[in-house]
Amino acid sequence: MSKFSSVLARLRPDNFTLSLLGTVILASLLPCRGQAATIAGAVTDLAIALLFFLHGAKLSREAILAGIGHWRLHLLVLACTFVLFPVIGLGFKAVPAGLLDPTIAAGLLYLCILPSTVQSSIAFTAIARGNVPAAICGASLSNILGVVLTPILAAVLLGAKGQGGDMLGAAGSIVVQLLVPFVAGHLLRPWIGGFVDRHKKVLTLVDRGSILLVVYTAFSAAVVEGLWRKMGAGDLATILVLDGALLALALGATNLIARRAGLSKADEITLVFCGSKKSLASGVPMAGLLFPAAVVGPMIVPLMLFHQIQLMVCAVLARRYADRPED
């Protein structure tokens, strides 16, 4: 009974996922419009900038130096994130419209071009007794490069043109809103790092609060444009199945690549968790800058569902790795 209960506990949606669901329901029932939407958008932009500033301040220089020597592992993580995933995503896009709704296919492809997560990749690597310094360095590098690579891939593979059709302006906005605060926070770490490390709950609140704000404003715009008239329960079920298949392919591929490359078990764990995950924290605000407001809602549905699936599956997988005999 205890083992079964433990499995159910790991598969149960976490509080943040339930908050995301509540936010979507709120936006569906009470979407913000007009001036309220403008104000909400401005507040959201500030919250996202603060989020990346705090993430930069949290990143330890020592952890970067400790993990940076594993260059072959980092290249494999980046290849899985920005080559393997997009190739799989193009497979979804190639499916005829009669078999897969083009909106769903576009959302799945957008999911595939995003950088890896940082916090959960490191957390699962630590639970599984993997190479934590390399995970910190690899996941952070993926996020930093994602600020540049994701807009490029979005333009090439999805024809993204940014808000108002200005892709160059959208890329510049991503750099200003995400990368500049991140770098500024990291440069200021010697002075504010101690405060950030002591108040991790504040970072969590900003992290989750900013994402919820983006989700609310994105879904509000989509609901006003008739999102739920275009996307039904059948579409959500299709996305769940395809998200699950995508994660299974990614986990299988990263495991196979690690073994073919002759990586140690600790490095294999790092590649599996950093190379198979996608960042909700980066993907949601980027979507708001890369795509028209009415498109952002349906575009991030696959990402939101993938977020929960990857947390549940990787929690079980991390425990299995952790239960292996000592190396």
Side-chain angles (χ1 to χ4, degrees), residues 16 43-44 46-55 119 199-214 281:
F16 180 54
V43 173
T44 299
L46 291 174
I48 291 295
L50 177 60
L51 164 64
F52 278 81
F53 176 83
L54 292 174
H55 274 298
Q119 291 166 301
H199 297 82
K200 292 182 179 179
K201 288 185 177 179
V202 174
L203 180 58
T204 300
L205 287 173
V206 174
D207 189 342
R208 298 185 174 187
S210 59
I211 293 173
L212 292 176
L213 277 171
V214 176

Side-chain angles (χ1 to χ4, degrees), residues 59-71 73-74 77 118 121-127 129-141 266-267 269-271 274:
L59 182 60
S60 165
R61 200 79 49 89
E62 293 76 16
I64 295 176
L65 294 175
I68 203 167
H70 297 266
W71 59 270
L73 176 58
H74 300 323
V77 170
V118 176
S121 292
I122 296 167
F124 286 132
T125 300
I127 292 170
R129 295 191 282 125
N131 189 335
V132 176
I136 294 172
C137 187
S140 301
L141 180 62
D267 285 352
I269 290 168
T270 302
L271 177 59
C274 294

Side-chain angles (χ1 to χ4, degrees), residues 171-188:
S173 296
I174 289 174
V175 170
V176 171
Q177 189 176 353
L178 307 185
L179 184 59
V180 170
F182 183 91
V183 173
H186 186 62
L187 292 177
L188 291 173

Side-chain angles (χ1 to χ4, degrees), residues 94-272:
V95 176
L99 298 177
L100 180 63
D101 188 292
T103 302
I104 296 176
L108 289 166
L109 179 53
Y110 176 65
L111 161 65
C112 288
I113 64 176
L114 292 173
S116 176
T117 62
V118 176
Q119 291 166 301
S120 57
S121 292
I122 296 167
F124 286 132
T125 300
I127 292 170
R129 295 191 282 125
N131 189 335
V132 176
I136 294 172
C137 187
S140 301
L141 180 62
S142 173
N143 263 253
I144 293 169
L145 291 178
V147 173
V148 177
L149 293 178
T150 294
I152 292 174
L153 290 171
V156 174
L157 303 181
L158 284 164
K161 298 179 180 179
Q163 295 280 8
D166 182 8
M167 187 61 197
L168 186 61
S173 296
I174 289 174
V175 170
V176 171
Q177 189 176 353
L178 307 185
L179 184 59
V180 170
F182 183 91
V183 173
H186 186 62
L187 292 177
L188 291 173
R189 178 173 170 78
W191 294 276
I192 65 174
F195 176 85
V196 172
D197 291 339
R198 289 192 304 270
H199 297 82
K200 292 182 179 179
K201 288 185 177 179
V202 174
L203 180 58
T204 300
L205 287 173
V206 174
D207 189 342
R208 298 185 174 187
S210 59
I211 293 173
L212 292 176
L213 277 171
V214 176
V215 169
Y216 176 70
T217 54
F219 270 86
S220 290
V223 167
V224 170
E225 293 294 323
L227 170 65
W228 299 126
R229 292 195 301 272
K230 304 171 185 175
M231 183 175 288
D235 294 318
L236 294 177
T238 299
I239 293 171
L240 276 171
V241 171
L242 294 177
D243 271 351
L246 176 60
L247 181 61
L249 280 172
L251 289 171
T254 50
N255 187 276
L256 178 62
I257 291 170
R259 296 186 180 186
R260 289 290 178 87
L263 299 182
S264 66
K265 181 59 70 173
D267 285 352
E268 173 192 316
I269 290 168
T270 302
L271 177 59
V272 167

